[in-house]
Amino acid sequence: MPNDEANRRTAIVNDLEQHEKRTDAQRLVTSLDSGLSVLRDLFYGRLHFDVEQMVGSDSMLIPLSEPKTQRATKVQIEIFQVVESTELAWDRGYVSSDQWYLDWLTRFRLSEMAGKEKIVKEIAAYRGMKPDGRRLAFSDVLMRVLPESRKAPLVLFQLVPLAIRIATAVAFQDDSAAAELRQQQKAILPSIGDCHACRGAVLDNGQMCDVCSNPMWAYQWLTAAD
Ligand SMILES: [Zn+2]
């Protein structure tokens, strides 16, 4: 099994190298992988464990099968990440074809599930939406898959699409886009800039601030806005 995973990773790197004529495909794939994986896992944690801690577990809301729910939620997060990342990559001219990047990233993030009709349809539906509509559709999907996510602070859902775009910009070494997107997050949640440890700076993909949990802020920061 570890061999299969290694072979799959090699194919992903080779595809990027060949299609986009990049000599840094290995670095880029590693960076994008750690950036998107950290966001997915921290976001899931905010929606599930943090909500449970902050508001208590409501027996009506406890999912029947946690591992299954966790897998389903993370698939939904990956689908959303694929679409947000593609939009930024295309807008900023990181890739020669948005459809190619979309397909490549879907294979990268969803591996054997990438070809499933349900997933292809969900990606196409998100692609047809404007950013605000997509964000709302995403939060609706999460509420169905992970009922306790309805108790998460709304600001979290506003920060997440921008966080995905920042991880993409960092992977493509576009510092000015990353900084611009972080400014948009600060406009939504000014307290981001108050952390004495990171000052709300853009971190490298895979890194996290020990104090505020930048790039997916801890609850006390999310709720400190007012
Ligand atoms: Zn910090």
Side-chain angles (χ1 to χ4, degrees), residues 78-95:
E78 290 289 5
I79 289 171
F80 185 75
Q81 292 204 123
V82 163
V83 176
E84 283 296 327
S85 177
T86 298
E87 296 239 327
L88 184 82
W90 182 242
D91 286 350
R92 299 287 300 192
Y94 300 157
V95 287

Side-chain angles (χ1 to χ4, degrees), residues 191-201 203 208-215 217 221:
S191 59
I192 284 173
D194 296 343
C195 174
H196 64 81
C198 72
R199 302 268 168 212
L203 305 177
M208 187 187 88
C209 174
D210 291 337
V211 174
C212 69
S213 291
N214 170 12
W217 290 267
W221 295 81

Side-chain angles (χ1 to χ4, degrees), residues 106-124:
T106 306
R107 275 184 283 123
F108 178 6
R109 302 308 300 171
L110 290 149
S111 51
E112 72 276 5
M113 280 183 292
K116 279 192 175 174
E117 194 186 348
K118 183 175 176 289
I119 288 183
V120 171
K121 276 187 178 165
E122 285 173 352
I123 288 175

Side-chain angles (χ1 to χ4, degrees), residues 51 56-64 146-151:
V51 167
S57 52
D58 177 337
S59 60
M60 296 296 287
L61 293 176
I62 290 179
L64 289 172
L146 189 73
E148 66 264 41
S149 71
R150 76 189 58 202
K151 297 193 177 181

Side-chain angles (χ1 to χ4, degrees), residues 8-33:
R8 199 178 74 79
R9 174 63 73 101
T10 304
I12 290 292
V13 171
N14 287 344
D15 287 354
L16 178 67
E17 199 170 85
Q18 283 162 23
H19 194 274
E20 296 300 309
K21 314 275 180 286
R22 291 196 76 107
T23 53
D24 66 343
Q26 181 79 58
R27 179 207 60 76
L28 201 157
V29 165
T30 303
S31 173
L32 198 54
D33 186 30

Side-chain angles (χ1 to χ4, degrees), residues 151-162:
K151 297 193 177 181
L154 285 175
V155 67
L156 185 59
F157 290 94
Q158 295 179 300
L159 295 174
V160 163
L162 295 165

